[in-house]
Amino acid sequence: MTLIRKIGSTALAVAIAAGLAGAAHAAEWKGWNIHKPGYPNTVAMDKFAELVAEKTEGRHTLKMFHSGVLGNQPDAIEQLRIGGIEIGNFNLGPIGPVAPEANVVSLPFVFKDMDHMHRAMDGAPGDQISAGMAKKGLIALAWYDSGARSFYNSKRPINQPSDVQGMKVRVMNNDLYSGMIAALGGNPSPMAFSEVYQSLKTGVVDGAENNWPSYESTGHFEVAGYYSLSQHLIIPECVCINADVYNGLSDTDKAAVKAAARESAELQRKLWAERAEASRAMVMKAGVKFNDVADKAAFQNAMKPVYEKFLASNQELKPLVEAIQATQ
Ligand code: GTR
């Protein structure tokens, strides 16, 4: 190769690279995340952004917006569906009202434990849930962990359903959760995650429910010091991408983006397990009054009307619920 041709091809390569970088920059995706810096999901979504650029060789880039600065979760889900944002780490709880298949994971006690949830989501039930979400414009690239949610409040330990009687309890926006609190005799109060701290502090609500890392990272433990290990919900989370954006990718980039999400999920699950333990230890040290719920069956039995109501209006989802329950 002569020097001139070499220079020529180098210049061409530089021009192509600059052009690609320009195109990629123009198409930079926006990513929504509700959690603070250092939270397992935040770290994993930053890793996902890094891997997207790396694995697509810069053809696609992602800018993450953490701490819910792009809005509350139900709004962000709508934004993602219409393409206002391209990527989101969503809890399946607020996706349920949009995609009925995804709502089955919000039936209290539908999963026995984290392992059962993983097996179901990695198997046929997870595929059916993904397909239901895809029909609504949400492509799930990978599943993140979100532990088990338990009740906490500022009044008293919860040992049996009657302890919830008359309590005002914050829930995520989903009728299933409102039904769950009502079935225990409490008053459900759906509200955005960002409003819960102040509402607990001022007594607008008496309690809420969440996993150890969210209870700790939000400071809710400072204003609702009784944590009762009911573990009534085990809700997976997705790394979701807008369906039009995903369908417009080349096969190579589809595979690259999926691989990036799955790799970030491995990291998230590892960090999750560590943080769950660290958060539990931290709040206990801070003086949280903890109790195990010995009689979970009483809570499970109280959920019968919640299942009945859900299945009455979603009869076609009965086999999916049964498939989850039967997953070994
Ligand atoms: C957290 C979850 C968030 C959000 C929050 C809530 O555990 O990771 O996506 O759903 O709970 O209670 O609103």
Side-chain angles (χ1 to χ4, degrees):
M1 197 185 274
T2 66
L3 187 60
I4 299 290
R5 274 172 61 200
K6 224 176 175 177
I7 290 171
S9 63
T10 308
L12 186 65
V14 170
I16 291 174
L20 283 179
H25 183 74
E28 186 170 61
W29 296 334
K30 286 190 290 300
W32 181 93
N33 166 36
I34 206 166
H35 295 292
K36 293 179 180 163
Y39 201 84
N41 304 35
T42 306
V43 176
M45 287 304 283
D46 280 341
K47 182 74 188 169
F48 174 59
E50 196 183 305
L51 291 170
V52 164
E54 191 182 303
K55 289 183 190 292
T56 67
E57 295 170 343
R59 286 183 297 278
H60 299 282
T61 55
L62 164 64
K63 182 167 168 52
M64 282 306 304
F65 292 86
H66 301 300
S67 307
V69 293
L70 292 185
N72 69 39
Q73 186 148 213
D75 288 350
I77 291 166
E78 283 314 306
Q79 278 298 315
L80 188 133
R81 294 181 64 207
I82 63 174
I85 55 177
E86 289 80 12
I87 300 280
N89 160 219
F90 298 130
N91 186 282
L92 260 50
I95 288 184
V98 174
E101 288 86 350
N103 224 4
V104 297
V105 305
S106 289
L107 287 163
F109 301 106
V110 77
F111 296 119
K112 290 191 226 28
D113 51 34
M114 293 278 283
D115 284 346
H116 178 213
M117 183 276 281
H118 285 154
R119 288 193 301 272
M121 294 308 286
D122 291 341
D127 292 344
Q128 191 178 340
I129 291 167
S130 283
M133 287 166 57
K135 277 192 285 179
K136 303 294 178 177
L138 299 156
I139 306 287
L141 297 167
W143 305 121
Y144 278 12
D145 276 349
S146 195
R149 296 172 78 100
S150 292
F151 293 115
Y152 52 89
N153 74 94
S154 57
K155 302 276 182 209
R156 53 183 174 265
I158 291 172
N159 282 296
Q160 54 220 1
S162 59
D163 294 326
V164 182
Q165 191 81 38
M167 223 180 239
K168 287 176 286 178
V169 185
R170 178 268 173 171
V171 289
M172 288 191 280
N173 283 272
N174 185 324
D175 288 348
L176 278 173
Y177 306 144
S178 295
M180 168 182 84
I181 299 300
L184 297 172
N187 302 322
S189 180
M191 89 177 52
F193 194 41
S194 58
E195 288 167 27
V196 185
Y197 182 88
Q198 206 55 27
S199 300
L200 285 166
K201 194 172 177 184
T202 56
V204 168
V205 292
D206 304 313
E209 43 89 57
N210 222 316
N211 50 54
W212 289 115
S214 280
Y215 179 55
E216 172 262 308
S217 70
T218 52
H220 292 179
F221 69 96
E222 296 162 8
V223 284
Y226 292 96
Y227 193 95
S228 307
L229 201 67
S230 49
Q231 298 178 310
H232 51 275
L233 285 166
I234 296 176
I235 316 173
E237 304 200 354
C238 70
V239 178
C240 276
I241 185 168
N242 167 280
D244 291 338
V245 170
Y246 184 73
N247 293 329
L249 296 177
S250 67
D251 286 349
T252 310
D253 284 346
K254 276 185 185 145
V257 167
K258 248 195 179 150
R262 297 212 164 138
E263 221 174 295
S264 81
E266 275 171 36
L267 173 67
Q268 195 271 349
R269 288 183 186 187
K270 180 178 155 280
L271 295 176
W272 181 268
E274 290 166 10
R275 180 66 177 255
E277 186 43 39
S279 293
R280 192 194 61 80
M282 192 267 168
V283 300
M284 295 297 261
K285 201 162 166 232
V288 159
K289 295 179 194 70
F290 167 82
N291 70 285
D292 203 352
V293 173
D295 187 13
K296 286 224 187 92
F299 287 85
Q300 286 166 16
N301 291 338
M303 293 303 118
K304 277 192 184 126
V306 178
Y307 276 71
E308 279 164 13
K309 190 171 172 212
F310 177 74
L311 290 171
S313 47
N314 297 279
Q315 280 165 21
E316 70 289 356
L317 294 177
K318 196 161 184 259
L320 177 57
V321 175
E322 285 167 356
I324 288 177
Q325 287 166 334
T327 299
Q328 292 301 312

